[in-house]
């Protein structure tokens, strides 16, 4: 029941990550701005998302997930209303920074908390919670697109803030009631690390952070710019929103499947599989741009990359103490969203400089290759090290 509630919270709370992608072309036209300038809204949203994840992770490790979630709900509701009321582009961009802060507790801290509720199917549980982000990506773009066409992007944002804050408050109260005084799976009793990579916790955190930045710069190009890309090709923004929804829907399958795979072969192998597959899908964007092919490639991209980010949370729990899980996951996810924000921004800049997205896709392929190199390094260390079951590893 906790897992279902956590999934619903993530599905509602991640709306801001996808609403901005849908409205980029419309906001660009209204404020007469460049694509790169408007893309800064996504950049700052992801920065707030990552920074908030670290802060919310600290709060979660010390006080639990419910207080962290309450703070995030307040930010999410108020910031969406402010975005709708923004009169200048800088105000819209700033509002999205606070939307990112509001979204933060629905991902990394919630994944870390769920990892303490399960032992045998921990990987599957973590990826189900992480799938809330992709459920949001599947259901919100068409809703935001419809709302933007019917009532405008401003009223759509105001409505999002009010509705999401109300629904999430109810769900968090239900989660609090479900958790009650249960201490069976608290941090002290959570299973210890079981993989020894012969690295300090800080060193491993840095390596995972660099890897997550690399993979997410690559991931950002299709996710952030597919709507605008379709508009530029003449297919229309609505088609792009459909592709984004399809991509995220397939990503749900990928995320849950990767959790099952991680329970079988471990987080590092699962990360390698996802990274290789993501790079394979990105290459296709370089050579095909017909409407049918873009639908197919977007579906393939979603199926291939959905399990990458949750794999980092699984690796953290496999190699680090449970008492640091939410904080360490928050740091690595912060790095990943920095990669997403930088990737979203730099793709817009490359488009402004070249007049097309071809170079931006090539940039993503290069960053993906760096990610693969780091994961292979970790895999070599994991294979040469001993698999342990006692406490105290990676400390």
């Amino acid at each position: 029941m906790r897992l279902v509630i956590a999934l619903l919270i993530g599905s509602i709370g991640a709306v801001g990550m996808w609403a901005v992608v849908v409205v980029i072309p419309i906001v660009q036209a209204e404020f007469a701005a460049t694509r790169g300038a408007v893309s800064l809204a996504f950049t700052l949203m992801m920065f707030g998302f990552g920074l908030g994840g670290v802060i919310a992770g600290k709060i979660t490790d010390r006080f639990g997930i419910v207080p962290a979630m309450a703070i995030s709900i307040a930010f999410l509701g108020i910031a969406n209303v402010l975005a709708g009321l923004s009169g200048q582009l800088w105000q819209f961009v700033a509002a999205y920074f606070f939307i990112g802060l509001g979204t933060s507790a629905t991902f990394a801290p919630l994944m870390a908390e769920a990892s303490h509720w399960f032992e045998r199917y921990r990987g599957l549980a973590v990826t189900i919670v992480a799938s809330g982000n992709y459920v949001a990506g599947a259901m919100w773009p068409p809703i935001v697109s419809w709302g933007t066409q019917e009532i405008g992007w401003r009223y759509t944002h105001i409505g999002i803030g009010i509705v999401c804050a109300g629904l999430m408050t109810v769900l968090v109260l239900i989660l609090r009631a479900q958790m009650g005084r249960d201490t069976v799976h608290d941090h002290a009793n959570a299973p210890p690390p079981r993989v020894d990579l012969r690295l300090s916790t800080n060193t491993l955190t840095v390596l995972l952070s660099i890897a997550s930045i690399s993979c997410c710069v690559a991931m950002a190009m299709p996710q952030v710019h597919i709507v605008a890309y379709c508009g530029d090709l003449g297919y229309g923004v609505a088609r792009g929103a459909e592709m984004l929804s399809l991509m995220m829907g397939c990503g749900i399958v990928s995320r849950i499947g990767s959790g099952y795979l991680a329970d079988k072969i471990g987080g590092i192998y699962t990360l390698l599989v996802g990274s290789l597959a993501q790079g394979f899908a990105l290459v296709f964007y370089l050579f095909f741009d017909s409407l049918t092919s873009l639908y197919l490639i977007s579906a393939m991209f979603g199926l291939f990359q959905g399990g990458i980010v949750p794999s980092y949370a699984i690796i953290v729990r496999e190699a680090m103490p449970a008492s640091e899980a939410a904080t360490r996951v928050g740091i690595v996810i912060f790095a990943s969203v920095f990669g997403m924000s930088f990737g979203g921004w730099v793709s817009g800049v490359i488009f402004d400089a070249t007049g097309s997205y071809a170079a931006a896709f090539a940039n993503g392929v290069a960053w993906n290759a760096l990610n693969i190199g780091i994961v292979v390094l970790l895999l070599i260390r994991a294979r040469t090290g001993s698999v342990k079951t006692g406490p105290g590893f990676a400390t």
Side-chain angles (χ1 to χ4, degrees):
M1 182 58 71
R2 294 183 197 177
L3 197 61
V4 171
I5 296 168
L7 176 61
L8 291 173
I9 290 172
S11 301
I12 296 170
V15 55
M17 301 184 71
W18 310 110
V20 64
V21 176
V22 175
V23 302
I24 279 177
I26 300 168
V27 173
Q28 179 186 1
E30 177 163 334
F31 290 114
T34 64
R35 185 69 51 83
V38 180
S39 296
L40 281 175
F42 180 86
T43 300
L44 286 188
M45 183 276 296
M46 293 302 286
F47 181 75
F49 178 65
L51 178 63
V54 177
I55 298 171
K58 279 284 188 183
I59 295 172
T60 300
D61 281 336
R62 185 165 183 180
F63 301 107
I65 190 64
V66 174
M69 197 66 65
I71 296 171
S72 283
I73 290 172
F75 273 99
L76 188 64
I78 295 171
N80 268 288
V81 172
L82 291 176
L85 297 175
S86 58
Q88 299 181 46
L89 181 59
W90 73 265
Q91 295 171 346
F92 177 80
V93 171
Y96 259 95
F97 170 75
F98 292 104
I99 288 174
L101 287 176
T103 306
S104 61
T106 68
F107 196 61
L110 204 54
M111 281 195 294
E113 188 68 20
S115 74
H116 304 318
W117 301 339
F118 293 84
E119 296 179 15
R120 183 178 177 186
Y121 298 110
R122 180 191 299 158
L124 187 59
V126 167
T127 53
I128 287 175
V129 172
S131 295
N133 178 276
Y134 276 10
V135 172
M139 72 178 187
W140 282 112
I143 295 173
V144 174
S145 178
W146 174 85
T148 300
Q149 294 172 22
E150 295 296 322
I151 61 175
W153 65 269
R154 295 180 180 278
Y155 286 113
T156 298
H157 276 80
I158 294 171
I160 286 172
I162 296 171
V163 172
C164 289
L167 290 176
M168 289 177 66
T169 298
V170 172
L171 288 170
V172 169
L173 290 174
I174 296 174
L175 179 63
R176 183 175 182 271
Q178 282 289 326
M179 294 175 70
R181 298 182 179 180
D182 183 11
T183 58
V184 174
H185 294 290
D186 65 12
H187 298 175
N189 295 319
R194 59 190 182 192
V195 176
D196 183 9
L197 295 175
R198 295 173 294 118
L199 294 169
S200 70
T201 299
N202 289 337
T203 301
L204 180 57
T205 301
V206 169
L207 285 174
L208 290 176
S209 296
I210 296 172
S212 64
I213 289 172
S214 303
C215 75
C216 289
V217 171
M219 193 182 298
M221 176 53 235
Q223 289 189 3
V224 178
H225 290 277
I226 190 66
V227 176
Y229 184 40
C230 286
D232 294 339
L233 292 173
Y235 302 135
V237 172
R239 292 288 191 181
E242 290 172 359
M243 290 179 196
L244 180 61
S245 181
L246 176 64
M247 188 187 299
M248 296 301 101
C250 291
I252 297 169
V253 177
S254 162
R255 287 213 157 160
I256 295 176
S258 70
Y260 177 80
L261 186 64
D263 285 330
K264 299 294 183 182
I265 65 175
I268 299 176
Y269 276 107
T270 303
L271 178 58
L272 180 60
V273 170
S275 186
L276 287 169
Q278 173 176 271
F280 179 76
L282 276 173
V283 170
F284 277 85
Y285 279 111
L286 288 169
F287 299 102
F288 303 96
D289 62 2
S290 69
L291 184 61
T292 300
S293 65
L294 286 176
Y295 273 108
L296 292 174
I297 297 169
S298 296
M300 180 173 65
F301 187 81
L303 284 172
F304 285 172
Q305 56 79 40
I308 293 178
V309 173
S311 295
Y312 295 113
I314 295 169
I315 294 170
V316 167
R317 281 297 287 118
E318 288 177 342
M320 299 186 191
S323 60
E324 301 179 26
T327 302
R328 296 291 175 171
V329 171
I331 292 171
V332 176
I333 298 302
F334 185 17
S336 74
V337 298
F338 173 80
M340 284 289 292
S341 61
F342 174 73
W345 171 77
V346 78
S347 296
V349 171
I350 291 172
F351 172 85
D352 289 334
T354 64
S356 77
Y357 279 117
F361 281 118
N363 177 64
V365 172
W367 281 93
N368 197 83
L370 174 60
N371 172 266
I372 292 172
I374 295 172
V375 178
V376 168
L377 173 64
L378 292 178
L379 185 59
I380 291 172
R381 295 190 69 88
R383 288 177 62 86
T384 56
S386 301
V387 178
K388 307 293 185 180
T389 57
F393 296 146
T395 59

